[in-house]
Amino acid sequence: MQFKTILLPLSLTFALAACPGSESADPAQLIQQGQYDAAIEAAESQLGSVEAGSADHKELVIIYSEALAESRADESRDAFLAFAKEHPDMVEPADYKYVVSGLRTHSAYMQAIDIMDAGKKRWADDSTIDELVEALKQDIAKSGDADSMAKMKGLGYM
């Protein structure tokens, strides 16, 4: 029993050293490492310290949305669309495409459709958004997700 007790503080020290503080952690790097929960935590801690409506704010919201896409797709969609609504001149079709791509990666098609549709309504004739619509249609068709297929049909995309 004493052996385990001696090792516990040592293992906690190593565990804490492996987890950098969320203020200094790079959420994008954490995503690349597959550490989505850590990326979410890091982004959340940094969102309060960036100037609202700045380029850094936009970048952080997009990264935050990407991290959320893995397990909290509704929150991913909501975070991005809220930013887009509050700062319409800061977002562009490529931002919509990037966030939808993250949702598509995790098969969160219903939420991806919501973002794609918002982008399509804003930029009806944009080629980036048109490519996004086509890619999403193909993913949904391959997945066999009947609910997403029905939603795309209901919105007039299929």
Side-chain angles (χ1 to χ4, degrees), residues 1-11:
M1 285 290 196
Q2 285 184 351
F3 182 71
K4 289 181 182 177
T5 310
I6 292 170
L7 289 179
L8 184 59
L10 187 58
S11 65

Side-chain angles (χ1 to χ4, degrees), residues 18-132:
C19 298
S22 359
E23 281 293 327
S24 62
D26 179 2
Q29 185 176 18
L30 291 168
I31 291 169
Q32 290 176 352
Q33 296 168 352
Q35 298 178 30
Y36 294 97
D37 290 336
I40 291 167
E41 183 181 322
E44 285 175 344
S45 72
Q46 294 171 22
L47 278 168
S49 64
V50 295
E51 180 185 342
S54 67
D56 289 340
H57 183 214
K58 173 186 164 179
E59 181 179 344
L60 192 54
V61 167
I62 290 172
I63 291 168
Y64 180 54
S65 295
E66 181 180 7
L68 287 168
E70 190 262 341
S71 63
R72 295 158 45 184
D74 286 342
E75 292 177 49
S76 173
R77 173 199 59 216
D78 295 348
F80 178 74
L81 290 178
F83 180 85
K85 182 177 181 182
E86 291 170 20
H87 308 285
D89 351 335
M90 292 198 70
V91 293
E92 52 195 44
D95 300 324
Y96 283 75
K97 183 177 180 179
Y98 187 85
V99 175
V100 168
S101 176
L103 289 162
R104 287 173 47 218
T105 297
H106 300 290
S107 302
Y109 300 122
M110 297 295 272
Q111 296 82 359
I113 293 168
D114 293 339
I115 293 174
M116 176 275 302
D117 186 54
K120 187 67 175 165
K121 286 178 178 164
R122 182 159 177 204
W123 296 286
D125 298 322
D126 183 83
S127 62
T128 299
I129 297 293
D130 290 342
E131 291 170 14
L132 179 58

Side-chain angles (χ1 to χ4, degrees), residues 42 72 102 140 151:
R72 295 158 45 184
I140 291 169
K151 186 172 185 172

